[in-house]
């Protein structure tokens, strides 16, 4: 079946008298219009337009198509108006879930841009660790999730939208403030840390960075970045957190970054969803997030 754009072009060629004028009437470049007519003729195995010095003339097949095309295009416009009316009566919604680092430091900017594209959209976001976010996506509680884990969920479509760097940080009264050598993987694995809980993207990234070593028991295990950071500031123990989560404390002199060597403290931030293809506002939000390419580091 001819697509609607081809039918619209054919009607315009009939009404305007030339392929160039018809293309302009439908907002199409003439080379694209020529290709569209050629594809239509190839699909139909019939000539629909004959080009003459004085302009374009429709063949009998082309005239027959135009007669039917006018009815089809009019019906399509009526359907579009009906859909617009229905959409005007409902408020579009998007349910999201995001891990703490994404929710606190990246998602607000993304959602502001999404709001510009979809002014009527009602977006709601729950905040949880990455394991819970994946579970909510899997069960259909939310349409889209953002997680920090190093490995994607095998049963869910996903894409990397940004990269995030983690840092080993200490309070300014910690003994490591006087050290001149970087901390290696074995030493870090043997050091009790203030950590996030299991299931968080930060904890998974730390465990992956230290594999195959088995880290010792944490000094404290806490469920928020803010609590981990506050404990590190007081000198309880070193901590590994996203640079996004500690940038202000480092800038203000409450925390210091300790150099490391022999392992990489970096992770991927992913969008995950339940069913392909992702559409509408959810697809736009993933596109907005992916434009960053890398989380803005301090």
């Amino acid at each position: 079946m001819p697509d609607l754009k081809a039918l619209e072009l054919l009607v315009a060629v009939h009404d305007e008298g030339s392929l160039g004028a018809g293309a302009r009437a439908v907002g199409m470049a003439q080379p694209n219009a020529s290709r569209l007519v050629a594809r239509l003729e190839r699909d139909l195995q019939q000539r629909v337009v004959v080009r003459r010095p004085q302009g374009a003339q429709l063949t009998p097949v082309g005239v027959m198509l135009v007669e039917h095309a006018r009815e089809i295009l009019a019906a399509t416009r009526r359907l579009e108006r009906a859909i617009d009316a229905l959409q005007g009566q409902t408020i579009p919604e998007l349910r999201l879930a995001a891990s703490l680092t994404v929710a606190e430091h990246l998602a607000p900017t993304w959602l502001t841009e999404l709001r510009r594209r979809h002014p009527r959209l009602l977006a709601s976001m729950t905040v949880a660790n990455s394991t819970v976010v994946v579970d909510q996506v899997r069960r259909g509680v939310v349409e889209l999730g953002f997680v920090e884990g190093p490995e994607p969920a095998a049963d869910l479509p996903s894409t990397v939208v940004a990269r995030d760097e983690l840092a080993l940080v200490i309070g300014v009264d910690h003994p490591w403030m006087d050290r001149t050598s970087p901390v290696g993987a074995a030493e870090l694995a043997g050091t009790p840390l203030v950590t996030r809980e299991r299931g968080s993207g930060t904890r998974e990234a730390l465990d992956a960075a230290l594999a195959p070593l088995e880290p010792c028991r944490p000094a404290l295990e806490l469920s928020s970045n803010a609590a981990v950071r506050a404990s590190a500031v007081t000198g309880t123990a070193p901590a590994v957190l996203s640079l996004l989560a500690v940038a202000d404390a480092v800038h203000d002199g409450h925390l210091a970054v300790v150099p490391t060597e022999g392992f990489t403290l970096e992770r991927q931030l992913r969008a995950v969803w339940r069913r392909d293809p992702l559409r509408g506002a959810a697809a736009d939000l993933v596109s907005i997030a992916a434009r960053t390419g890398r989380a803005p580091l301090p």
Side-chain angles (χ1 to χ4, degrees):
M1 291 292 293
D3 64 33
L4 292 176
K5 198 65 178 177
L7 294 179
E8 185 181 10
L9 174 63
L10 205 59
V11 170
V13 170
H14 177 272
D15 293 345
E16 300 295 332
S18 72
L19 184 61
R24 289 192 294 272
V26 298
M28 184 181 298
Q30 184 164 341
N32 293 338
S34 296
R35 284 192 290 269
L36 188 58
V37 168
R39 187 168 70 241
L40 176 62
E41 292 178 334
R42 186 170 59 252
D43 291 343
L44 295 174
Q45 297 184 350
Q46 298 278 350
R47 294 293 300 277
V48 297
V49 174
V50 177
R51 295 165 181 81
R52 301 189 184 282
Q54 65 271 28
Q57 180 178 343
L58 297 184
T59 67
V61 172
V63 172
M64 180 272 293
L65 283 175
V66 166
E67 292 174 356
H68 291 288
R70 293 189 192 280
E71 298 177 11
I72 292 170
L73 294 171
T76 300
R77 286 191 286 271
R78 289 195 297 271
L79 177 60
E80 289 172 346
R81 288 194 294 270
I83 291 173
D84 288 342
L86 287 174
Q87 290 176 336
Q89 297 170 8
T90 61
I91 298 176
E93 296 185 30
L94 178 61
R95 290 171 294 125
L96 311 167
S99 58
L100 288 177
T101 301
V102 175
E104 292 173 355
H105 302 284
L106 298 173
T109 300
W110 298 345
L111 290 172
T112 298
E113 175 61 24
L114 184 69
R115 180 74 176 178
R116 292 193 187 100
R117 296 191 189 186
H118 300 272
R120 299 181 62 254
L121 180 70
L122 176 60
S124 59
M125 182 174 69
T126 59
V127 182
N129 69 37
S130 293
T131 299
V132 174
V133 171
V134 169
D135 179 65
Q136 290 185 346
V137 172
R138 188 177 286 124
R139 292 188 292 112
V141 176
V142 296
E143 184 177 351
L144 180 66
F146 292 97
V147 296
E148 307 162 11
E151 296 296 332
D155 60 328
L156 294 175
S158 70
T159 188
V160 175
V161 295
R163 298 183 185 277
D164 182 28
E165 187 175 338
L166 304 181
L168 174 62
V169 294
I170 55 173
V172 294
D173 294 327
H174 192 275
W176 281 359
M177 284 292 293
D178 297 326
R179 71 180 293 151
T180 57
S181 59
V183 175
E187 183 179 5
L188 187 61
T191 300
L193 303 174
V194 184
T195 69
R196 286 287 309 279
E197 78 285 7
R198 291 193 181 277
S200 72
T202 301
R203 179 68 172 273
E204 289 183 0
L206 174 61
D207 290 346
L210 296 179
L213 300 171
E214 294 187 8
C216 66
R217 286 176 60 91
L220 280 176
E221 192 174 83
L222 303 170
S223 60
S224 75
N225 292 337
V228 173
R229 185 178 67 174
S231 294
V233 168
T234 63
T236 300
V240 172
L241 284 171
S242 165
L243 275 173
L244 292 167
V246 299
D248 55 347
V250 171
H251 180 268
D252 294 340
H254 301 306
L255 287 174
V257 176
V258 180
T260 59
E261 66 177 3
F263 59 100
T264 301
L265 287 174
E266 187 180 85
R267 61 185 175 176
Q268 297 175 331
L269 306 181
R270 288 181 173 271
V272 295
W273 57 95
R274 190 176 180 188
R275 293 190 181 94
D276 272 331
L278 199 60
R279 300 180 186 277
D284 285 347
L285 183 56
V286 171
S287 174
I288 291 166
R291 281 211 316 268
T292 64
R294 171 181 279 272
L297 303 178

